Amino acid sequence: KNEVEQSPQNLTAQEGEFITINCSYSVGISALHWLQQHPGGGIVSLFMLSSGKKKHGRLIATINIQEKHSSLHITASHPRDSAVYICAVNYSGGGADGLTFGKGTHLIIQP
Amino acid sequence: DVKVTQSSRYLVKRTGEKVFLECVQDMDHENMFWYRQDPGLGLRLIYFSYDVKMKEKGDIPEGYSVSREKKERFSLILESASTNQTSMYLCASSLWQGSSYNEQFFGPGTRLTVL
């Protein structure tokens, strides 16, 4: 299976900054997911998208199918946004396949 | 509130022991998944199931088996635990609607240490 690449691996920013995390993949996908993992292990699904753009509060996710690229943006970042953000994809082909994951971006927002 | 629960948060076993990790979801989801998470490697799919008694191998099934006797329960079995199976194990479930994908709901994880 093809890999999912995320960048940056680590990101430290000041409170209030605009954050961008990138994700790229190499072959066709059916859906792309952005997940959030806080210390202690729990994983929460933030977005699932297959085209265009989605927004939820201060979080925005975009996907460009032609370029095989997605971005997760956080506006007006806050220390509570500190977490690992993980990009994952369902590869095309149908069925109930599990996800293929990027290695995650460790985000720290300093007050 | 939707829930995926796992039988243990922390587990310590000895090499060679048979280990059962249990996962239960209360959302009537068809699909259930087992992943493991390791530093530097991220999350990887071990097995998944799209229906009762059905199972499919994921990317790293070696050394594992699964059981799904009821829709809400998906068990991961380590037949003979080895130290390289020390890891965080995460269960997830999702709804299946024909050809479309849906978000996955994750359990809290089980941190397994094999001594």
Side-chain angles (χ1 to χ4, degrees):
Chain A
K1 273 201 174 167
N2 293 278
E3 292 188 351
V4 176
E5 302 288 339
Q6 274 186 249
S7 63
Q9 279 188 295
N10 297 284
L11 178 57
T12 300
Q14 295 298 313
E15 183 173 357
E17 285 190 43
F18 182 82
I19 303 298
T20 296
I21 299 170
N22 296 299
C23 176
S24 61
Y25 52 92
S26 53
V27 295
I29 63 169
S30 297
L32 184 141
H33 304 249
W34 281 103
L35 309 168
Q36 180 191 58
Q37 185 174 31
H38 279 286
I43 294 177
V44 174
S45 176
L46 298 174
F47 295 103
M48 188 188 73
L49 63 167
S50 54
S51 65
K53 176 179 174 178
K54 286 191 176 180
K55 185 176 190 289
H56 185 251
R58 295 181 294 106
L59 300 177
I60 303 165
T62 64
I63 187 168
N64 185 317
I65 297 297
Q66 286 73 30
E67 294 186 5
K68 297 184 174 62
H69 181 268
S70 174
S71 293
L72 176 69
H73 305 286
I74 305 174
T75 61
S77 59
H78 190 276
R80 66 174 173 266
D81 297 325
S82 298
V84 177
Y85 292 84
I86 303 169
C87 173
V89 301
N90 294 104
Y91 281 106
S92 297
D97 289 349
L99 296 170
T100 299
F101 298 84
K103 289 185 170 56
T105 295
H106 189 196
L107 174 65
I108 297 173
I109 303 297
Q110 294 178 334
Chain B
D1 204 16
V2 296
K3 262 215 172 114
V4 179
T5 57
Q6 295 183 228
S7 49
S8 306
R9 289 301 308 271
Y10 300 93
L11 207 53
V12 180
K13 295 292 182 180
R14 296 211 172 271
T15 302
E17 280 193 78
K18 190 168 186 175
V19 182
F20 292 87
L21 302 182
E22 303 281 337
C23 175
V24 178
Q25 50 95 2
D26 65 358
M27 296 165 281
D28 203 33
H29 284 171
E30 290 81 8
N31 301 331
M32 296 188 75
F33 309 86
W34 275 107
Y35 300 98
R36 65 177 281 178
Q37 185 176 32
D38 301 287
L41 296 176
L43 284 138
R44 293 175 292 167
L45 177 66
I46 305 172
Y47 266 97
F48 66 95
S49 168
Y50 53 88
D51 201 352
V52 175
K53 296 195 185 294
M54 305 304 289
K55 59 185 178 185
E56 294 285 344
K57 292 180 181 178
D59 299 319
I60 49 163
E62 296 79 18
Y64 303 96
S65 62
V66 290
S67 172
R68 191 159 180 208
E69 297 296 320
K70 293 186 177 181
K71 189 176 185 180
E72 66 271 19
R73 189 179 296 269
F74 192 34
S75 302
L76 180 70
I77 304 154
L78 287 66
E79 294 288 343
S80 178
S82 63
T83 55
N84 63 11
Q85 293 177 310
T86 291
S87 186
M88 170 71 92
Y89 290 87
L90 289 135
C91 175
S93 72
S94 71
L95 192 63
W96 175 245
Q97 292 175 315
S99 60
S100 66
Y101 291 92
N102 290 283
E103 68 174 308
Q104 293 193 12
F105 294 86
F106 287 80
T110 295
R111 187 167 294 281
L112 172 68
T113 302
V114 182
L115 301 174

